[in-house]
Amino acid sequence: MISWQSKAINVIVRIYGEDSIQEEQIKQVKFKIYPSYGVNGQTFGGGNNAAFCNKQASEIIQGLISDLSSFGLPEKRSKTESGRINISLNQHQSQTQTINVSLIWESVKDELTGKQIKNLKQF
């Protein structure tokens, strides 16, 4: 991976969390070198896509800056284990408790419509 990509991904992961769309966009910028070949003393082909990569990377980064300027820092999404929902409760005494509600979720989700499930997952 190119140095600028590694640095950009480090910053993006700190802002958006692991496996974000923004991280994937940076990873999709691929530098390529095209081979050249010669026929009858003339050389054909060759070069690279550096200009395209620079433009693509610049547009992605400008878009991220614009989004952050307009909407502020996003809430980080934490990964849940195998479809479980974890609820974190912060108390005034600087204690954090995590409640696993997967048992409740499994019981209730069979009684809900698809739209209701979607709304709950967004919550």
Side-chain angles (χ1 to χ4, degrees):
M1 188 171 294
I2 301 173
S3 175
W4 76 266
Q5 277 182 314
S6 298
K7 291 175 185 177
I9 288 171
N10 287 338
V11 172
I12 288 170
V13 167
R14 289 180 71 194
I15 295 171
Y16 293 97
E18 293 279 337
D19 300 324
S20 67
I21 293 170
Q22 294 81 0
E23 179 184 357
E24 187 59 32
Q25 288 175 331
I26 291 293
K27 286 180 179 179
Q28 291 301 318
V29 179
K30 305 271 189 212
F31 178 75
K32 296 177 186 172
I33 297 175
Y34 303 108
S36 60
Y37 58 94
V39 176
N40 295 329
Q42 291 186 333
T43 303
F44 299 95
N48 59 51
N49 68 340
F52 175 76
C53 288
N54 286 339
K55 182 179 180 202
Q56 186 181 19
S58 177
E59 288 176 358
I60 292 169
I61 291 171
Q62 289 301 322
L64 294 173
I65 292 169
S66 175
D67 286 351
L68 291 171
S69 296
S70 298
F71 305 111
L73 292 174
E75 291 184 25
K76 286 189 180 177
R77 296 180 185 170
S78 60
K79 293 183 180 179
T80 58
E81 296 178 36
S82 65
R84 296 180 184 178
I85 297 174
N86 292 322
I87 298 174
S88 294
L89 173 64
N90 292 326
Q91 297 178 342
H92 294 293
Q93 297 174 347
S94 299
Q95 296 176 344
T96 302
Q97 295 180 341
T98 302
I99 303 169
N100 189 340
V101 293
S102 62
L103 179 63
I104 297 169
W105 174 250
E106 291 299 319
S107 302
V108 172
K109 79 176 184 180
D110 292 333
E111 303 298 321
L112 301 174
T113 66
K115 184 176 180 182
Q116 290 171 326
I117 291 172
K118 183 178 177 184
N119 288 338
L120 283 175
K121 284 185 177 180
Q122 289 177 346
F123 178 73

